[in-house]
Structure formats: C-alpha cells, structure tokens
Amino acid sequence: MAKTPKTYHVKSFGCQMNVYDGERMSELMAEQGLSAAASAEEADLVVLNTCHIREKATEKVYSDIGRLRKGGRKPMIAVAGCVAQAEGEEIVRRAQVDVVVGPQAYHNLPKLVADAAGGKAALDTDMPLASKFGALPARRRVAPGAFLTVQEGCDKFCTYCVVPYTRGAEVSRPFAAIVDEARALVDAGAREITLLGQNVNAWADEDGRGLDALIRDLDRIEGLARIRYTTSHPNDMTQRLIDAHRDVEKLMPYLHLPVQSGNDRVLKAMNRSHSRDSYLRILDRVREARPDIALSGDFIVGFPGETDAEFEDTLRLVDEVRYSQAFSFKYSPRPGTPAAEMDGAVPRGVMDERLQRLQAALNRDQAAFNEATVGKTCDVLIERRGKHPGQMLGKSPWLQSVHLATDAQIGDMVTVDIERAGPNSLAGVERVKAAA
Ligand code: SAH
Ligand code: SF4
Ligand code: F3S
C-alpha cells in the first residue's frame, strides 16, 4: 500500500493537450498542499500523462514505470491520459500501478490518490456529461506562451486513429468560460495563447459561433499579444476562420493543417473525407488571406495498401505546398481501429525508406523557409534563457525558434532583425528602440 504523498511530479507525453492537462493536474496537486518534486525520481507521487497514438508511445509507459521502480523505490504511480483511457484495468494487471485516470476524469485525481493511499482500488475512466473544467482550480502562474483547451474529442474516425476512442466525442467549452480562462492566463503572465483542440476549428457554441468569433473576441484582451490555434481538420476550415487570418492582427501567420496523404485512394481508405485537391484549394484560400502564412502538416507513410505510386503522390503534394515545418510518422496499427484489420501491410523496410524520403523533402522545405526569413524584421516573444550568458530564446510569428543576445526578460516582446538561419532555428539581433 502506497503512503499518502507529500510531493508530486507530472510527466506528459504526446500532444499539446496533454501538456495542458498535465499543467492542470499539477495545479490540482498543488491545491491539495503537495509540493512539486525536483524530478520524477524524487517524487512520492508520479503522474504519467500518457499518449496512445502509436505503439511506441504506449510502450513508453511501461518502460517508464519499470524505471521509476528501480532500486526498490515505491512511489505512488498514477497513469493518466490516453493509455489510461484505452487500457484501463489492463494497466493495473500488467504493472500494478496505484491510480488509473482518463483524460475526462482527472479532476477526480485528489480523491483517487486518497483512495490509493487508503488501499482502495482507484480507477476512473468515466466520460461524464458535466465537464471537468468547472472542478479545476484557478490558473496561477503560467509561461508567456500558454495553452488553453477549448475543444476536446473527435467525431471524424479516421480509420487509423485512437483519439475518438480515448478522448470521446467532440465537445466545445462554452464561450464565456474560455474568455474567462484566457483573461486569467494573461493575468498570470501569458502573452501568447494557443487554443487547443483535437479538432480545434470544429469549436462551436449554441449560438452558432465558430472559432473565428472566439478569436475575434480574444483579440480584445489587453496584454494578450498573440493568438494561435491547433490542431485543425481540413473539413472545419471555414471561410470565416480563413478571413480571421486576414483581419486579426494578433492571430499569428501559422496554420497546422494535417493532410496525412497526397493520394485520394489512401485518403478515402483513411476516411479523411477530404481529397488531395480540396485540401490544396483550402491552402490557396488561406494564402490568399494571409500571403506570409507558414504552413505545417502531419503525414502518415505506409498506411495499409499504400503503393509506391501512391506514396509518390504525397511527395508531390509536399513539393507543391512547401511546408515551413511538418510532422511525419510511420503507420502504426492500433488495436480497435478499422485500419488495424486491413490487408496490405507495408513491409518495415519500405516504410523506413518512405519516411526517410518524405523527411528529406520536408527538411529541405523547412531549411528553405528559415533561409527566406533572413533579412526580415519581426517580433520575437522571449520564452526562455539560452545556453550562453545573455542569450535568450523566443519565437517568431511563424513559430520558428529565434536566439539573440538581449537584456529583455522572459515574456518580453522584442523586435529582431533576422540575420542567420539554421535547419531548426534562426539567429538575429535586437532592434534598438529609438530614445523616447
Ligand atoms: N486531431 C489531429 C491530430 C491527431 S494525432 C488531426 O486530425 O490532425 C496527430 C497525428 O498523429 C495525426 O495527424 C497523424 O498524422 C498521426 N497518427 C495518428 N494515428 C496514427 C497511427 N495509427 N499511426 C501513425 N501515425 C498516426
Ligand atoms: Fe484522429 Fe482523424 Fe480525429 Fe485527427 S481527425 S484526431 S487523425 S480521428
Ligand atoms: Fe496522444 Fe491522446 Fe494526444 S493519444 S496525441 S495524448 S489525444
């Protein structure tokens, strides 16, 4: 039986929504009077906030649990996140963890921890109708770039994906609750807010307002300098949202719009419900509204039955779009999804080769995009200290990392002349302000 913990550590894997959830769980534990441990190895309670998206991500949980128990240490272990939702009881059987809590139930973490300390089984993977958000403590101290979950879940059911099962149906938080939390984040130190959702652009409220209306409202918050949102689905990319990219100055010129494949047969087998062409036409309209927009995407190679020629279509799409940055993955069969039952598994070697070729093309475009930023002057939001004394790191409007020498502090916005570009970052010098 684990004893009542005094210190905690939350470790998040997977997407940004898990990062957000991890912060909220930390706030919950702090509210209970627990203090933050310096590391997972020193904590009485370790919350593993897990990801189920690919097999590797899931296996990480079990190797982490093993590592935490090395040398006979016995911290209380809580498994949260998408693996908790997907595997439930199975995790207790396989790894004898103390607490299992799903992404829609983590507001109950204090009770579950108390139950576990009292020797009771502590498992909660309910997806209650009432949202967890009302039961979470107020936001206190946050980074200059803060996350804010506005929408959760997914109704799209792409055939390869576990998210509709682990996160449940699409649910939008109410307008007012989001605006309140945004204000609280700004009061707590945020200068930039990234609105999060598994399909963030599917956000809608009872009055028929969409994400564009929310963004236009947040635009009015004094002290908030930047707005971003992620991840979007092509089918929810309304003209009104595209127009917001033209009109709202605080909305940053960056769009993450996953496509997964550049071939229509594969897209159909994936149940993506957009075509190569409809996707490209959306990007045309986005670029028309905001010509300097940086585009990002997600790709899967080696979906069951994907032929060489079909993969070449993906490479051609990349050549056409010229992403500023993108994520690419080898297809991973996930238990319970339709694609896991499909014939035509692509051999591992072929999959590796396709991923390499795709990543080479994406890296080429990322380097070119960074190179094209050299000579521009832009705002940089300072987020953290660099490795060298006096060096600070921040983000450009196009989400590139920028390092520079400056006296500016974390949270400051500085104007920077971009002088050099590397594959993954930029370097620049601060514009000296004219004396007032
Ligand atoms: N809701 C978002 C992101 C979902 S998960 C969207 O629809 O775009 C993030 C990415 O993981 C996906 O875009 C996809 O590229 C990848 N992914 C999801 N399931 C996968 C699987 N079974 N194998 C490999 N990659 C996967
Ligand atoms: Fe998964 Fe598709 Fe939903 Fe994205 S849209 S979360 S890839 S099912
Ligand atoms: Fe992973 Fe769940 Fe996010 S499966 S990607 S943590 S929604």
Side-chain angles (χ1 to χ4, degrees):
M1 187 169 97
K3 59 182 186 335
T4 301
K6 292 196 177 65
T7 61
Y8 70 92
H9 183 85
V10 180
K11 194 170 167 188
S12 290
F13 306 85
C15 61
Q16 286 143 320
M17 196 168 295
N18 259 14
V19 175
Y20 175 89
D21 291 339
E23 285 172 9
R24 305 304 314 259
M25 285 190 264
S26 294
E27 290 165 349
L28 259 175
M29 291 301 100
E31 194 194 42
Q32 297 295 308
L34 278 76
S35 51
S39 69
E41 286 67 35
E42 291 161 62
D44 301 336
L45 165 68
V46 181
V47 181
L48 298 174
N49 191 22
T50 61
C51 174
H52 196 53
I53 201 82
R54 284 168 289 274
E55 190 183 356
K56 258 199 195 142
T58 303
E59 284 310 310
K60 231 183 225 153
V61 186
Y62 293 102
S63 57
D64 253 53
I65 293 171
R67 205 167 316 130
L68 286 168
R69 287 180 175 151
K70 260 210 188 121
R73 243 178 61 82
K74 280 229 160 66
M76 183 185 283
I77 296 178
V79 176
C82 290
V83 177
Q85 192 65 40
E87 303 204 337
E89 216 50 85
E90 178 61 29
I91 309 171
V92 182
R93 264 194 297 274
R94 193 169 150 189
Q96 287 88 46
V97 299
D98 305 278
V99 176
V100 175
V101 62
Q104 305 309 347
Y106 67 75
H107 54 295
N108 294 329
L109 197 55
K111 180 186 175 291
L112 294 165
V113 168
D115 284 352
K120 269 194 270 176
L123 183 137
D124 189 347
T125 51
D126 285 351
M127 292 200 178
L129 278 176
S131 133
K132 63 187 173 252
F133 293 103
L136 297 172
R139 312 299 317 253
R140 274 197 285 261
R141 237 188 59 216
V142 296
F147 292 137
L148 170 46
T149 293
V150 304
Q151 181 280 341
E152 282 195 274
C154 182
D155 298 339
K156 307 284 194 284
F157 290 93
C158 301
T159 52
Y160 50 81
C161 185
V162 293
V163 171
Y165 313 99
T166 63
R167 291 278 170 166
E170 284 178 8
V171 178
S172 296
R173 290 178 69 189
F175 199 102
I178 295 167
V179 175
D180 283 351
E181 189 171 330
R183 286 186 196 285
L185 286 170
V186 172
D187 290 343
R191 305 275 339 259
E192 170 181 299
I193 291 180
T194 302
L195 306 175
L196 298 181
Q198 266 90 28
N199 284 292
V200 72
N201 56 345
W203 183 89
D205 72 359
E206 303 85 49
D207 303 329
R209 288 180 289 193
L211 192 67
D212 54 294
L214 189 58
I215 288 169
R216 286 177 196 272
D217 202 83
L218 297 178
D219 185 39
R220 299 210 300 261
I221 297 180
E222 216 172 302
L224 179 63
R226 292 176 161 187
I227 304 169
R228 302 180 185 277
Y229 62 92
T230 198
T231 298
S232 299
H233 191 282
N235 284 12
D236 296 311
M237 206 65 217
T238 62
Q239 188 58 44
R240 288 191 314 192
L241 181 55
I242 294 173
D243 290 344
H245 277 282
R246 186 190 54 216
D247 305 336
V248 181
E249 211 181 309
K250 288 181 186 175
L251 184 58
M252 290 294 105
Y254 182 93
L255 175 66
H256 180 79
L257 197 66
V259 64
Q260 316 299 353
S261 163
N263 174 269
D264 283 341
R265 191 205 63 82
V266 175
L267 286 171
K268 196 152 195 231
M270 287 176 163
N271 192 32
R272 282 296 289 183
S273 64
H274 60 78
S275 66
R276 171 198 179 91
D277 192 61
S278 68
Y279 176 81
L280 290 171
R281 297 295 77 83
I282 294 167
L283 297 190
D284 287 345
R285 284 189 282 132
V286 171
R287 278 188 161 140
E288 201 180 314
R290 184 77 209 226
D292 73 332
I293 200 152
L295 296 170
S296 166
D298 291 351
F299 296 87
I300 297 176
V301 301
F303 187 79
E306 185 188 63
T307 65
D308 286 335
E310 289 167 344
F311 169 67
E312 296 290 337
D313 284 342
T314 300
L315 286 180
R316 262 195 296 278
L317 179 130
V318 168
D319 288 349
E320 199 170 320
V321 173
R322 303 275 166 180
Y323 291 93
S324 70
Q325 180 269 345
F327 303 94
S328 46
F329 311 100
K330 285 187 265 187
Y331 168 72
S332 171
R334 308 306 294 126
T337 61
E341 312 291 316
M342 289 179 189
D343 296 331
V346 173
R348 193 182 290 267
V350 176
M351 196 115 71
D352 288 340
E353 197 210 308
R354 285 182 190 168
L355 187 69
Q356 266 180 24
R357 289 183 62 199
L358 176 59
Q359 290 188 337
L362 293 169
N363 290 342
R364 170 203 69 199
D365 293 346
Q366 181 173 328
F369 185 87
N370 287 347
E371 204 53 57
T373 318
V374 175
K376 286 190 183 168
T377 302
C378 65
D379 286 346
V380 171
L381 175 61
I382 304 293
E383 293 182 339
R384 56 195 171 89
R385 268 167 242 295
K387 268 184 259 150
H388 312 293
Q391 189 192 46
M392 298 299 262
L393 259 78
K395 290 272 162 53
S396 78
W398 306 282
L399 210 63
Q400 297 143 297
S401 287
V402 182
H403 33 102
L404 66 151
T406 176
D407 296 331
Q409 297 303 303
I410 292 171
D412 287 350
M413 190 76 79
V414 294
T415 307
V416 177
D417 293 322
I418 304 298
E419 294 199 321
R420 276 173 290 124
N424 298 311
S425 66
L426 305 172
V429 292
E430 187 178 1
R431 270 271 161 106
V432 184
K433 277 189 214 80

